């Protein structure tokens, strides 16, 4: 995208904190009550109980996060409503905030490598991360459009393969791949995610170029998949 080509040059000349000057001036106006926070999450609450919706949104303030996501240019790549307009860039709509915070923290620390995102995360505070993540988490959960039946991928998603000690995708990522939290471990939304992005990440897990999943579980899973299975899962997951 044009923004991504522009980013490195602009951010390299931007002093730390400068990108958030306007946000800081507006921050007193954005002090909101719990009621306002819940109202901003109405699209999530419409599909889930308040308890589950707040679990998805986390501790951040989605109202503040909307403005920070605009100021920090998050929306230019990931979409104003969290649905990416570029097949290479992930959607964040309805993603668990805790998962997004983890990824931003990993980009900031270097535990996860990406030329653009390492720069984007460099000057974000923990509060910024929580608020931006809460905003995207408060959007209607991403959905795909299934093109055709895919028995191979569906079987892997629902049942896994015990012979290879390959767990079912649904056992971690939930029914329809919409994610869940179990014992304080957050399993992200993968159902409805961008097809090209899913393929790139599964490939990165398989090759060991990405290593930031708990106990390297995704490296183990991806390495167990042959190319046909990987491609089938990508098509299936993106359509959920």
């Amino acid at each position: 995208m044009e923004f991504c080509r522009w980013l490195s040059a602009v951010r390299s000349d931007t002093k730390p904190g400068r990108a958030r000057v306007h946000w800081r001036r507006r921050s007193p106006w954005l002090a909101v009550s719990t009621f306002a926070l819940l109202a901003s999450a109405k699209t999530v609450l419409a599909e889930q109980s308040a308890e589950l919706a707040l679990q998805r949104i986390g501790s951040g303030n989605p109202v503040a996060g909307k403005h920070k996501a605009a100021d920090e240019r998050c929306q230019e790549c990931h979409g104003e409503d969290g649905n990416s307009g570029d097949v290479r860039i992930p959607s964040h709509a309805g993603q668990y905030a805790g998962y997004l915070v983890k990824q931003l923290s990993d980009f900031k620390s270097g535990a996860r490598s990406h030329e653009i995102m390492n720069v984007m995360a460099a000057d974000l505070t923990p509060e910024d991360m929580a608020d931006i993540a809460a905003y995207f988490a408060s959007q209607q959960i991403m959905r795909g459009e299934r093109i055709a039946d895919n028995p191979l991928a569906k079987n892997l998603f629902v049942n896994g393969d015990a012979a290879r000690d390959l767990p079912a995708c649904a056992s971690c990522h939930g029914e329809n791949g919409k994610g869940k939290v179990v014992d304080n471990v957050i399993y992200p939304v993968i159902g409805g995610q961008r097809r090209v992005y899913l393929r790139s990440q599964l490939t990165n897990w398989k090759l060991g170029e990405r290593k930031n999943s708990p106990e390297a579980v995704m490296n183990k899973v991806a390495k167990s998949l042959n190319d046909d299975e990987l491609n089938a899962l990508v098509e299936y997951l993106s359509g959920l």
Side-chain angles (χ1 to χ4, degrees):
M1 296 178 70
E2 185 63 29
F3 164 68
C4 294
R5 289 193 293 270
W6 166 86
L7 174 65
S8 295
V10 172
R11 275 298 180 92
S12 63
D13 293 332
T14 302
K15 294 179 180 179
R18 186 174 179 181
R20 294 195 300 275
V21 168
H22 296 302
W23 154 248
R24 286 172 178 154
R25 289 174 180 170
R26 288 198 301 263
S27 58
W29 178 79
L30 289 169
V32 295
S33 65
T34 300
F35 175 81
L37 186 152
L38 288 172
S40 73
K42 61 183 178 181
T43 54
V44 173
L45 289 169
E47 297 184 349
Q48 304 173 65
S49 69
E51 181 180 359
L52 288 176
L54 288 176
Q55 184 184 59
R56 190 175 292 272
I57 291 168
S59 62
N61 183 328
V63 177
K66 179 178 182 179
H67 292 271
K68 291 182 179 183
D71 286 352
E72 296 293 341
R73 309 289 188 179
C74 308
Q75 295 177 22
E76 292 193 25
C77 282
H78 297 285
E80 184 176 356
D81 63 352
N83 288 292
S84 161
D86 187 319
V87 296
R88 300 164 299 175
I89 297 174
S91 293
H92 292 333
Q95 184 60 271
Y96 278 92
Y99 176 78
L100 293 177
V101 168
K102 165 77 161 55
Q103 301 312 304
L104 286 170
S105 298
D106 285 353
F107 283 128
K108 183 169 184 172
S109 71
R112 183 176 175 186
S113 180
H114 187 278
E115 181 181 6
I116 301 301
M117 286 307 305
N118 295 130
V119 176
M120 293 297 290
D123 60 353
L124 293 178
T125 67
E127 181 182 8
D128 293 335
M129 294 181 188
D131 290 346
I132 291 169
Y135 169 67
F136 284 122
S138 73
Q139 303 303 300
Q140 188 170 1
I141 300 172
M142 65 185 86
R143 296 188 186 280
E145 183 176 346
R146 188 168 302 170
I147 299 173
D149 288 337
N150 193 325
L152 171 63
K154 183 175 182 179
N155 182 60
L156 286 170
F157 180 82
V158 175
N159 301 312
D161 186 348
R164 289 182 285 169
D165 197 25
L166 183 62
C169 306
S171 66
C172 288
H173 294 281
E175 185 179 359
N176 294 323
K178 302 308 176 185
K180 62 182 182 180
V181 180
V182 180
D183 296 331
N184 294 319
V185 177
I186 300 172
Y187 298 97
V189 178
I190 55 175
Q193 185 56 271
R194 302 291 284 180
R195 183 179 287 102
V196 172
Y197 177 75
L198 283 172
R199 182 176 288 107
S200 71
Q201 295 311 297
L202 280 172
T203 301
N204 288 346
W205 292 119
K206 186 170 186 172
L207 297 176
E209 294 177 2
R210 182 177 172 186
K211 304 175 182 178
N212 69 329
S213 66
E215 299 181 358
V217 62
M218 284 307 304
N219 298 99
K220 298 172 187 174
V221 167
K223 286 177 181 178
S224 297
L225 299 173
N226 62 42
D227 289 345
D228 288 341
E229 290 171 333
L230 189 150
N231 287 325
L233 271 174
V234 164
E235 296 296 324
Y236 182 81
L237 293 171
S238 65
L240 293 176

